[in-house]
Amino acid sequence: MSTESPIKLTSLSSKGGCGCKIGPADLSQVVRSLPQPEPNPDLLVGLDTSDDAGVYRLSADMAIVQTVDFFTPIVDDPYSFGQIAAANAISDIYAMGGKPLTALNIVAFPITTLDKQILADIMRGAADKAKEAGVTIVGGHSIDDKEPKFGMAVTGLVHPDRVRTNAGAQAGDRLILTKPIGVGIMTTAIKKEQLTAEEIARVTKVMAALNKTAAETMSRYEVHACTDVTGFGLLGHALEMAKGSQATITIDRQAVPILPRTRELAEQGFVPGGTKNNFAHVTPNVTFDPSLDQIDQWILCDAVTSGGLLIAIADSQAEALLRDLQEAGVEAAIIGAVTGTSAGTGQGHIQVQG
């Protein structure tokens, strides 16, 4: 389906994918300076817990889920870039337990200096991925920009009583991750032309995979909390869950699925700046096992693009959900547990075992 481009898309920007997000520390400082919105009983999920999407109740049995996400090229192939950007944007709806319905394209493109066919291929990739998700593209907006960027604003529906937030994890829950990490390090290596064609295909497949199957499988269980793992890395998003849930989370480093060669590439210096920013942000709230070196710690904080779902579910149901996910073809693993509460402290905490 892909169309070869003579232009190396990843060379057109200094950062790629979710690694170009404003870091969590800077972003939280900006958000704290904003005036507090007026209380609204129909706003079920807003800014309070840094969740994946907003949820607004329309009626007793219907709420809308709204999200937006866009970024610079994460791979060189235009069609694949469009697929990944669409999968990433739609993922927030799945993380909230919703069904995505419509999307608006967000386009920034140097229309006078790059071949228009490149943009067409990006949008074609996104359209095919949206069709796979059952999402109807209803329009969009474009600007002429030096660096290409693409993404979507996505709207979905969810029953108000079935909203999945990142703030409901309970002591004793097990944590399931549905995609491997290491994407930021791997895609940084793509920019430096250090991956084989097979490795590029592997990481592209991971990023372009919808979280649709994982979300539909999860919907049959009483999940306590859920988030998707993207730009702030596994530990960054786990920390948001811990803070929102006022919980202590323990992660087993050996159980976390990691893309092949991630450590080797990190040792060679292919660690993106966004990953290092994530590490600096979470460090005050994370206790690392002494056996974990700096590379291990960076990998756990690696800036992911279009990552998997991080699911908190009761221990009694965790193995069954894991089995169902794996039988459905999802690369899922149990990576840790909610091991305590931090109620009253206003802070969550993460312990990482070696």
Side-chain angles (χ1 to χ4, degrees), residues 73-85:
I74 190 70
V75 292
D76 291 316
D77 179 67
Y79 179 87
S80 297
F81 172 42
Q83 286 208 309
I84 293 165

Side-chain angles (χ1 to χ4, degrees), residues 62-85:
M62 183 181 298
I64 57 170
V65 189
Q66 294 180 290
T67 185
V68 59
D69 211 316
F70 68 104
F71 47 63
T72 53
I74 190 70
V75 292
D76 291 316
D77 179 67
Y79 179 87
S80 297
F81 172 42
Q83 286 208 309
I84 293 165

